[in-house]
Amino acid sequence: MQILFIGDIFGRPGRTIVREQLPALLRQHNVDLCIANGENAAGGFGLTPQIAEEFFDLGIDVITTGNHVWDKRELTDYFNSAIDEPYSPARRVLRPANYPAGTPGVGVHEGTTRSGTAYAVVNLQGRVFMPAIDCPFRTADKLLSQIAAKVIFVDMHAEATSEKIALGWYLDGRVTAVIGTHTHIPTADTRLLPGGTAYQTDVGMTGPYDSVIGVQKEQIMQRFLTGLPARFEAATNDVRFCAVLVDCDAQSGRARSVERIMIDGNGIGETAGCWQMRDAGLKK
Ligand SMILES: [Fe+2]
């Protein structure tokens, strides 16, 4: 079973490259489940229901988010509209599961692929250098005790590399993949953990890299130089599509391989396989 996870789609440039590149990638890799982090898809800050549904039309099955989930008021209304509607598309847009009880929206989606494999997508958020919400580790324990599917994909939206890799080790052997988002910088630590969990600290941004994590670089430099509040706008140049492709056993949910993908608007770029765990003797 092939799972494609697209890193933080940033503003219009990110949406455009997804529209241009995703159909071919889905075909080329026979993708069974496509997930994307969309929390920065609306102008770099938040997500709207209209953009979410455009992503669904492109073949994205589930959208994860993070700390920017509340930036657009319409998304909260969208979550609330689906409270009694388990099959509403709004239920396929997640907010981090460890926001306090009573927060609008849900942090897990359980579905079935076209070929009949049950899966779950879990969205968690870190607490280091981020809002002090509930514990992502204990929230994961609670959710995993309730999920029947073997194929479980976790988006860990967090700032600190330590918190992300700790969660990867904590969930190793219990989920198919733990892949990080939020920093918008892809990391080169793509690997299979010994228990069969695919891991990468950050998948990277799908958006403009001639920028500071998606925003016009001059605006961010001024902010660092002066500390004054400033308007941030999405950058436009050097747009790249960042993703990971996880191959897993549909019966057990164990990952077999994980590959890092970065391509430009012409579909040209690089892929990198996972590193092998020497002690565990894993072979790709
Ligand atoms: Fe974020």
Side-chain angles (χ1 to χ4, degrees):
M1 174 174 171
Q2 301 286 337
I3 304 171
L4 183 74
F5 179 53
I6 306 167
D8 311 47
I9 302 169
F10 195 96
R12 185 181 297 277
R15 301 199 313 268
T16 301
I17 197 170
V18 169
R19 194 166 55 242
E20 291 170 351
Q21 298 299 322
L22 184 59
L25 278 170
L26 293 177
R27 277 196 306 275
Q28 183 188 342
H29 296 290
N30 288 317
V31 171
D32 299 290
L33 171 61
C34 180
I35 306 160
N37 186 296
E39 74 150 5
N40 298 122
F45 302 92
L47 175 68
T48 63
Q50 185 191 353
I51 292 173
E53 296 196 1
E54 285 170 18
F55 288 160
F56 293 142
D57 289 344
L58 288 172
I60 293 170
D61 298 295
V62 182
I63 301 170
T64 55
T65 61
N67 52 306
H68 284 289
V69 65
W70 315 117
D71 287 5
K72 300 281 186 278
R73 170 79 214 188
E74 310 93 283
L75 200 71
T76 306
D77 297 338
Y78 192 52
F79 287 157
N80 288 333
S81 74
I83 287 171
D84 297 318
E85 305 281 346
Y87 301 106
S88 161
R91 295 295 281 267
R92 292 191 280 132
V93 181
L94 304 182
R95 49 90 171 151
N98 51 323
Y99 271 89
T103 306
V106 295
V108 59
H109 176 74
E110 293 183 75
T112 308
T113 64
R114 277 167 291 282
S115 56
T117 302
Y119 68 85
V121 179
V122 174
N123 195 180
L124 295 168
Q125 185 169 304
R127 300 192 293 183
V128 178
F129 311 129
M130 297 194 83
I133 55 176
D134 293 348
C135 174
F137 294 80
R138 290 182 178 85
T139 300
D141 286 337
K142 189 171 158 210
L143 290 173
L144 293 182
S145 72
Q146 298 162 351
I147 292 171
K150 298 288 189 198
V151 175
I152 303 172
F153 184 95
V154 178
D155 172 356
M156 174 56 163
H157 195 80
E159 185 75 41
T161 51
S162 58
E163 196 176 18
K164 290 170 164 176
I165 182 66
L167 188 85
W169 285 116
Y170 189 66
L171 298 182
D172 182 27
R174 296 198 279 160
V175 304
T176 304
V178 175
I179 307 292
T181 56
H182 177 70
T183 71
H184 296 191
I185 306 294
T187 56
D189 59 342
T190 318
R191 59 174 155 165
L192 280 177
L193 298 176
T197 294
Y199 179 81
Q200 185 175 314
T201 296
D202 205 295
V203 60
M205 167 181 68
T206 292
Y209 276 75
D210 182 16
S211 72
V212 176
I213 63 170
V215 173
Q216 303 238 1
K217 54 188 185 289
E218 295 78 11
Q219 296 171 349
I220 300 288
M221 286 189 281
Q222 276 307 308
R223 174 71 167 265
F224 277 114
L225 285 166
T226 67
L228 292 171
R231 189 175 148 76
F232 290 159
E233 292 160 307
T236 52
N237 294 332
D238 194 9
V239 182
R240 298 172 189 222
F241 180 111
C242 277
V244 292
L245 183 69
V246 177
D247 178 25
C248 74
D249 180 81
Q251 303 299 317
S252 67
R254 278 176 70 99
R256 287 191 285 238
S257 71
V258 51
E259 187 181 344
R260 186 167 78 245
I261 296 171
M262 179 190 269
I263 55 177
D264 66 15
N266 298 314
I268 297 167
E270 59 185 43
T271 64
C274 58
W275 96 44
Q276 296 175 13
M277 295 285 301
R278 287 200 186 90
D279 291 341
L282 286 178
K283 295 273 186 291
K284 188 180 172 218

